[in-house]
Amino acid sequence: MELQKINVKVFTAEPNNIPLTDFIDIFHNWIQATDGVYLDVADYSHMQAGPGIVLVADDANVSIDETGNRRGLLYSQKGKLSGSNLEKLNTVLRSALENCQRLEQEPALRGKLRFVGNEVEILVNDRLVASNTSDAFEEIRPEIDFLGRRLYASTNFTLLRNHEDPRHRLNVTLSTPCRLKRKPY
């Protein structure tokens, strides 16, 4: 299995009372600060437990996602990645965490937004490459386990396949019950 279209979601600390629409101006500023990297902002704040606010780019989308009634930053890799599955997973995770750090440092959000980092969802957004089956999960499990050991160092963590229904995307959660002594980024 050659992974592509990898999504990573990093959750915010609760409670998170920042209105979703506050991210629109921030993402528009990101567009203006780049030379065509980011293309547009889509506002789905009217949808309950939906995709939230999406910053659109050619290679990846960055969104403040509220799927499952849990807010987090969702980094959705769209462009083709090279390397091993572990390298691809690591690249997407690093990009997600860098975007979390960038948002936490935004002047308008400083002190109001915090990503906890002790729970990360990894989704494969391509059912043809990675169908949501036990076999597909077992095939990528070693890479995700390695990623979890790197992310959480010596801290105990769990790796859980979230949905067994084949209509869902292959979705794995890495989590630790411990408070992290340092941010994962």
Side-chain angles (χ1 to χ4, degrees), residues 89-106:
L89 287 163
N90 192 57
T91 296
V92 175
L93 176 63
R94 183 181 319 109
S95 295
L97 294 173
E98 287 170 354
N99 279 282
C100 288
Q101 184 177 27
R102 184 174 179 188
L103 275 173
E104 285 182 341
Q105 293 173 353
E106 277 291 326

Side-chain angles (χ1 to χ4, degrees), residues 6 28 42 97:
I6 301 166
H28 277 294
L97 294 173

Side-chain angles (χ1 to χ4, degrees), residues 153-176:
S154 61
T155 305
N156 291 329
F157 70 93
T158 58
L159 188 155
L160 176 68
R161 180 174 163 213
N162 295 325
H163 302 284
E164 294 187 13
D165 185 339
R167 294 176 292 181
H168 289 275
R169 296 175 291 173
L170 185 57
N171 182 328
V172 178
T173 298
L174 288 169
S175 62
T176 180

Side-chain angles (χ1 to χ4, degrees), residues 45-184:
S45 62
H46 61 281
M47 295 178 63
Q48 184 177 0
I53 307 299
V54 183
L55 176 61
V56 179
D58 282 333
D59 288 339
N61 293 342
V62 176
S63 62
I64 302 302
D65 179 85
E66 294 196 324
T67 302
N69 288 311
R70 297 192 64 208
R71 183 176 285 186
L73 179 131
L74 178 63
Y75 186 87
S76 303
Q77 182 68 37
K78 299 186 299 186
K80 187 164 176 65
L81 296 171
S82 60
S84 69
N85 284 343
L86 179 59
E87 290 169 327
K88 294 172 191 176
L89 287 163
N90 192 57
T91 296
V92 175
L93 176 63
R94 183 181 319 109
S95 295
L97 294 173
E98 287 170 354
N99 279 282
C100 288
Q101 184 177 27
R102 184 174 179 188
L103 275 173
E104 285 182 341
Q105 293 173 353
E106 277 291 326
L109 300 175
R110 197 166 289 140
K112 298 177 188 174
L113 178 68
R114 190 170 68 85
F115 293 93
V116 290
N118 65 342
E119 183 177 8
V120 174
E121 274 188 339
I122 299 170
L123 300 95
V124 181
N125 197 20
D126 190 339
R127 290 178 178 95
L128 293 176
V129 171
S131 56
N132 189 15
T133 64
S134 296
D135 289 344
F137 172 65
E138 290 303 325
E139 190 172 339
I140 67 168
R141 184 184 194 125
E143 287 93 350
I144 295 176
D145 185 68
F146 184 85
L147 198 65
R149 283 185 271 122
R150 181 182 296 162
L151 180 64
Y152 297 126
S154 61
T155 305
N156 291 329
F157 70 93
T158 58
L159 188 155
L160 176 68
R161 180 174 163 213
N162 295 325
H163 302 284
E164 294 187 13
D165 185 339
R167 294 176 292 181
H168 289 275
R169 296 175 291 173
L170 185 57
N171 182 328
V172 178
T173 298
L174 288 169
S175 62
T176 180
C178 304
R179 285 186 65 102
L180 299 180
K181 292 180 182 155
R182 63 171 179 78
K183 291 278 189 170

